[in-house]
Amino acid sequence: MVLPPTSTLEFIQNANPATNNVAKSPAAVKDVSLKNPPNVENSEKLRETSIKQEKGGMGRHDGATYVGIDEPPSPRVNNSRKLLLIPLIFVIFYEVSGGPFGVEDSVKAAGPLLALVGFLVFPLIWSVPEALITAEMGTMFPENGGYVVWVSAALGPFWGFQQGWMKWLSGVIDNALYPVMFLDYLKSAIPALGDGLPRVAAVLALTVLLTYLNYRGLTIVGWVAILLGVFSILPFVVLGLISIPKIEPARWLVADMHSVNWNLYLNTLFWNLNYWDSISTLTGEVENPKKTVPKALFYALILVVLGYFFPLLAGTGSIPLQRELWTDGYFSDIAKMVGGVWLRGWIQGAAALSNMGMFVAEMSSDSFQLLGMAERGMLPEFFAKRSRYGTPIVGILFSASGVLLLSWLSFQEIVAAENFLYCFGMILEFIAFVLLRVRNPDTPRPYKIPVGTLGAVLICTPPTILICVVLAFSTFKVAIVSLAAVFIGLLLQPGLKHIEKKRWFKFSISSDLPDIHGDSLIE
């Protein structure tokens, strides 16, 4: 997909603030239309609108707009420090990538040429559209919950919950990868971590330690992400420089179309270049999100693509090709061949720390998503409980428990299962994006992709086709397990509604959040 020439520049700069509408009280919050800027002429009109809202319940959309860029924070926001631009860039970097660890399978599956082409073309087909949509929708709904709120606004609360269930489960499955990859990179130096009780104990200890970092606050997560990011990227810069005299460009052109493992190839590309929308579940914790989020997405996109492509150039060009060896952890072996034991040790350490960064970033998104869903009344109120550090206690515990339950699966099984669920969630996001463009074209969008309705559809078309291809290459086992998980979500939402009706747990919608389930949005 080729974007308009202005889109990249506007992606950095086009953060035009929405009409400055401050929701000053719960009463006023319920009387500001999302579709039209508030124009309260007198107290009588305010009273009448409030009465209509109370009678209509969730039937009409008379909810508040969000505060403007230069306005004070919403009353529901905790007093903990918020994420700034640089920490946010590295949090996104770790939610999506964390460095070239895990891309080795693309060479094993398809050879150097297709691996290199994949990490150049795939971002245009998938990463750029997803990042652009996240920038527009995330700034349109700058609250925790992210894509759950977008889908709820377009399709109603039932499908919003399904989106939340599939994306949360996909995120937890994704997070189960990182202890596995951490130990895979260390087992060559510490063979005891390869299997058995030591490996189980290591997974448990690592999960507990990183979960505690999430508990201590997003600010710590952000600055840890910066430090780990710099440490993880530097050894590949050194590897690239050392490998220059040994590079033979002909090695980059090796391809055998008859021996390509398309399932492994596509799943590896997809896994390494998705999850751009994860940052949307943290927008309520970002300083000035309507300007910061689009900029952070743009710079993170550049960092991710370069962080994959140039290490692959160095690795495939500097040593003779042995495709069967290109699997998790092979970059450390390349480093030894090119630079020596010291460089291998550095890359092994960088890989271990990178997996720590990906873990804490993903858990932050997963746990704040549950908090955002609780603030929207989709989950029991106790999910919205925060620690004294401003972090979602219950969400963190649920996410950590899911990681421990799934960490026994193999790398390929985890990637395939999470991709399957993630695809379903992305289809709902694309539908929500287009529907909100059609139904609510005048709704303030602090960042807006510079295309019309047809352009919005065209942006979603290539990634949707790619989703269909990824699903088609899934194994029968992965499809059955993933569809069973989707079916659980279809039963879970009515079950929670029954629990709410019986008052076994308390459910509530934060009074200062705008009503997004109005007739104007779901008709």
Side-chain angles (χ1 to χ4, degrees):
M1 180 192 68
V2 180
L3 295 176
T6 59
S7 61
T8 302
L9 179 61
E10 290 187 22
F11 188 47
I12 311 176
Q13 297 174 339
N14 188 21
N16 297 324
T19 305
N20 291 331
N21 303 320
V22 184
K24 296 181 179 178
S25 68
V29 167
K30 295 182 179 180
D31 297 300
V32 183
S33 170
L34 178 62
K35 189 170 183 179
N36 299 306
N39 186 21
V40 180
E41 297 178 355
N42 51 56
S43 60
E44 183 62 26
K45 179 181 287 188
L46 184 65
R47 186 184 66 82
E48 290 175 359
T49 309
S50 180
I51 292 173
K52 288 179 182 179
Q53 173 67 27
E54 291 173 4
K55 289 180 179 180
M58 296 177 69
R60 286 200 59 80
H61 177 71
D62 291 316
T65 55
Y66 298 86
V67 295
I69 291 176
D70 299 320
E71 296 168 5
S74 163
R76 73 182 182 281
V77 176
N78 68 93
N79 293 322
S80 60
R81 295 180 61 186
K82 295 192 176 184
L83 284 173
L84 302 175
L85 177 61
I86 300 301
L88 186 62
I89 291 171
F90 279 91
V91 169
I92 297 172
F93 172 73
Y94 273 116
E95 286 177 340
V96 175
S97 166
F101 314 106
V103 305
E104 297 98 331
D105 278 324
S106 65
V107 179
K108 179 181 180 179
L113 179 61
L114 287 183
L116 291 168
V117 170
F119 280 101
L120 282 181
V121 175
F122 200 94
L124 297 177
I125 299 173
W126 181 265
S127 300
V128 171
E130 187 182 5
L132 288 171
I133 291 171
T134 300
E136 177 170 321
M137 302 300 291
T139 55
M140 184 179 176
F141 299 99
E143 61 175 277
N144 297 325
Y147 37 68
V148 178
V149 183
W150 316 343
V151 175
S152 296
L155 301 173
F158 175 81
W159 288 109
F161 180 88
Q162 303 310 315
Q163 171 76 353
W165 164 249
M166 287 185 288
K167 294 303 284 283
W168 177 80
L169 188 58
S170 173
V172 170
I173 294 173
D174 179 66
N175 231 10
L177 281 171
Y178 303 131
V180 173
M181 293 177 64
F182 176 87
L183 297 177
D184 283 345
Y185 266 90
L186 290 185
K187 67 183 180 183
S188 61
I190 310 176
L193 297 178
D195 54 25
L197 186 60
R199 186 179 180 90
V200 173
V203 168
L204 181 61
L206 184 64
T207 303
V208 170
L209 171 64
L210 299 180
T211 299
Y212 178 72
L213 284 179
N214 276 98
Y215 167 74
R216 285 300 303 268
L218 258 184
T219 303
I220 291 179
V221 169
W223 287 106
V224 165
I226 293 175
L227 295 175
L228 296 182
V230 172
F231 186 80
S232 299
I233 292 170
L234 277 179
F236 288 97
V237 175
V238 174
L239 174 64
L241 294 175
I242 295 177
S243 68
I244 290 175
K246 303 179 181 181
I247 286 177
E248 296 180 15
R251 292 170 175 165
W252 296 330
L253 305 178
V254 177
D256 183 0
M257 301 301 293
H258 299 291
S259 63
V260 176
N261 183 341
W262 291 106
N263 185 34
L264 179 59
Y265 175 67
L266 289 175
N267 273 311
T268 303
L269 288 175
F270 194 74
W271 176 68
N272 280 285
L273 287 164
N274 63 17
Y275 282 87
W276 296 95
D277 59 341
S278 293
I279 196 61
S280 67
T281 66
L282 298 172
T283 49
E285 312 300 314
V286 174
E287 184 70 31
N288 198 0
K290 297 179 181 182
K291 283 185 176 179
T292 305
V293 170
K295 290 181 180 180
L297 281 164
F298 175 78
Y299 294 122
L301 180 63
I302 295 174
L303 187 61
V304 166
V305 173
L306 295 181
Y308 286 144
F309 187 72
F310 284 106
L312 277 175
L313 272 180
T316 56
S318 60
I319 62 170
L321 176 64
Q322 292 180 281
R323 275 177 57 176
E324 68 279 3
L325 297 180
W326 278 83
T327 186
D328 306 325
Y330 189 56
F331 266 123
S332 61
D333 295 329
I334 294 173
K336 181 182 178 182
M337 288 184 277
V338 173
V341 176
W342 66 273
L343 188 55
R344 182 184 70 172
W346 191 1
I347 284 186
Q348 285 177 333
L353 294 179
S354 176
N355 283 286
M356 293 175 63
M358 289 187 283
F359 188 102
V360 295
E362 182 63 51
M363 180 170 282
S364 295
S365 291
D366 295 341
S367 56
F368 274 99
Q369 177 197 316
L370 296 182
L371 181 145
M373 292 176 70
E375 290 181 338
R376 281 287 173 189
M378 297 181 185
L379 293 175
E381 196 177 62
F382 62 78
F383 276 93
K385 180 177 175 58
R386 293 178 184 258
S387 71
R388 62 193 177 106
Y389 303 106
T391 49
I393 300 175
V394 178
I396 288 174
L397 292 176
F398 264 71
S399 299
S401 300
V403 168
L404 290 175
L405 289 173
L406 294 168
S407 59
W408 57 272
L409 295 172
S410 72
F411 180 89
Q412 285 77 17
E413 287 174 326
I414 293 175
V415 169
E418 72 154 288
N419 283 350
F420 201 99
L421 291 171
Y422 189 83
C423 285
F424 281 133
M426 288 308 304
I427 289 173
L428 288 178
E429 284 185 33
F430 294 153
I431 293 172
F433 168 65
V434 174
L435 282 180
L436 289 174
R437 275 294 191 98
V438 172
R439 295 175 180 175
N440 297 83
D442 298 324
T443 299
R445 289 167 168 83
Y447 171 81
K448 185 175 182 180
I449 306 172
V451 296
T453 301
L454 178 60
V457 174
L458 293 176
I459 283 175
C460 297
T461 300
T464 302
I465 294 173
L466 182 62
I467 284 174
C468 295
V469 173
V470 171
L471 293 178
F473 277 103
S474 297
T475 64
F476 181 75
K477 175 184 176 182
V478 168
I480 291 298
V481 172
S482 302
L483 290 173
V486 172
F487 183 72
I488 291 172
L490 296 176
L491 298 179
L492 193 57
Q493 199 268 354
L496 288 172
K497 284 297 180 184
H498 179 72
I499 290 174
E500 181 181 7
K501 184 177 180 181
K502 292 292 186 179
R503 297 185 179 180
W504 294 343
F505 290 107
K506 184 178 179 182
F507 291 71
S508 65
I509 300 175
S510 295
S511 60
D512 56 335
L513 288 175
D515 177 14
I516 58 169
H517 301 312
D519 292 340
S520 62
L521 293 179
I522 63 175
E523 283 180 347

